[in-house]
Amino acid sequence: MSNQILIFLLDTVLGLFSLALLLRFYMQLLRTPYYNPLSKFLAAVTNFIVLPVRRVIPAWRGFDLSTLVLAWLAQFIILVGVSTLKGYGLDSSLISTFIGFGLLALIELVRMTLYIVMIMLIVQAVLSWINPYSPLAPILDGFTRPILSIFQRYIPPIANVDLSPLFAIILLQLLLMIVENVQQGISVMF
């Protein structure tokens, strides 16, 4: 019973923190507006660890590597912690175990990214009907424009209805299936 509580707390707290770090990484990468409540919240929540780590891991070609590495590390800690709390013995080869958990943490970040984009597409579609001038609109547009522009080149609007979000969500679902299969394959190997 206590292990279940610890697993829940570890997964929830570090999972949300990893999500905040990943959102911060993408918001900086896509250059979404900084003077937004969400941007300020993510900076306030993650600055305590991102700023010191930036001294050790600098940015590279516009990629905030320190934030991305911290998101990966949070996922890595979740995977190792949950496995340990569930009583799974770690392999005798520490290097192969580290590589396996490292790959699984990376795949979890890819999966989280796909879910982030999918949720933002859905929220953007709903907000475009309800309140297109919402403070979230610039952030959502910054996240979804790179994906939607690909579909909008090939799929014209039908009766002034943009179907590109629908096709983007279908593609994201297919990518999620592929990621799940890769994740299961790596789990079996390690």
Side-chain angles (χ1 to χ4, degrees):
M1 176 80 169
S2 65
N3 277 353
Q4 289 176 339
I5 294 171
L6 289 174
I7 290 170
F8 170 75
L9 289 174
L10 179 71
D11 196 26
T12 302
V13 172
L14 278 180
L16 288 173
F17 188 66
S18 176
L19 177 65
L21 288 165
L22 199 57
L23 282 171
R24 178 181 175 144
F25 170 76
Y26 285 120
M27 290 179 81
Q28 289 176 351
L29 180 68
L30 298 171
R31 303 201 192 318
T32 57
Y34 179 75
Y35 297 107
N36 194 297
L38 181 61
S39 300
K40 289 182 179 183
F41 171 76
L42 291 174
V45 168
T46 58
N47 268 348
F48 80 95
I49 195 161
V50 170
L51 295 179
V53 173
R54 272 191 188 155
R55 293 183 196 136
V56 179
I57 304 173
W60 177 73
R61 294 188 180 189
F63 291 100
D64 183 15
L65 291 181
S66 60
T67 306
L68 187 60
V69 167
L70 286 170
W72 173 83
L73 185 62
Q75 287 300 320
F76 183 82
I77 291 169
I78 290 171
L79 291 169
V80 171
V82 167
S83 295
T84 304
L85 288 170
K86 285 186 175 180
Y88 298 132
L90 297 178
D91 193 342
S92 60
S93 172
L94 200 56
I95 294 174
S96 67
T97 302
F98 179 79
I99 291 171
F101 282 127
L103 286 173
L104 287 173
L106 186 63
I107 294 210
E108 186 61 29
L109 289 181
V110 171
R111 192 172 74 80
M112 285 174 65
T113 299
L114 293 173
Y115 276 117
I116 287 169
V117 173
M118 190 182 317
I119 289 169
M120 288 196 171
L121 282 169
I122 292 168
V123 170
Q124 184 180 27
V126 170
L127 276 180
S128 71
W129 298 329
I130 298 171
N131 184 8
Y133 303 108
S134 168
L136 282 177
I139 291 176
L140 295 172
D141 183 57
F143 267 89
T144 60
R145 187 179 332 113
I147 293 172
L148 292 180
S149 64
I150 296 168
F151 290 99
Q152 289 168 345
R153 267 188 251 143
Y154 301 108
I155 304 168
I158 300 174
N160 288 331
V161 175
D162 185 15
L163 296 178
S164 59
L166 176 66
F167 288 99
I169 289 173
I170 291 170
L171 176 69
L172 290 169
Q173 286 287 352
L174 292 173
L175 290 173
L176 277 169
M177 288 179 196
I178 293 169
V179 167
E180 298 271 336
N181 285 337
V182 170
Q183 189 175 22
Q184 287 175 358
I186 290 175
S187 295
V188 169
M189 286 193 304
F190 294 100

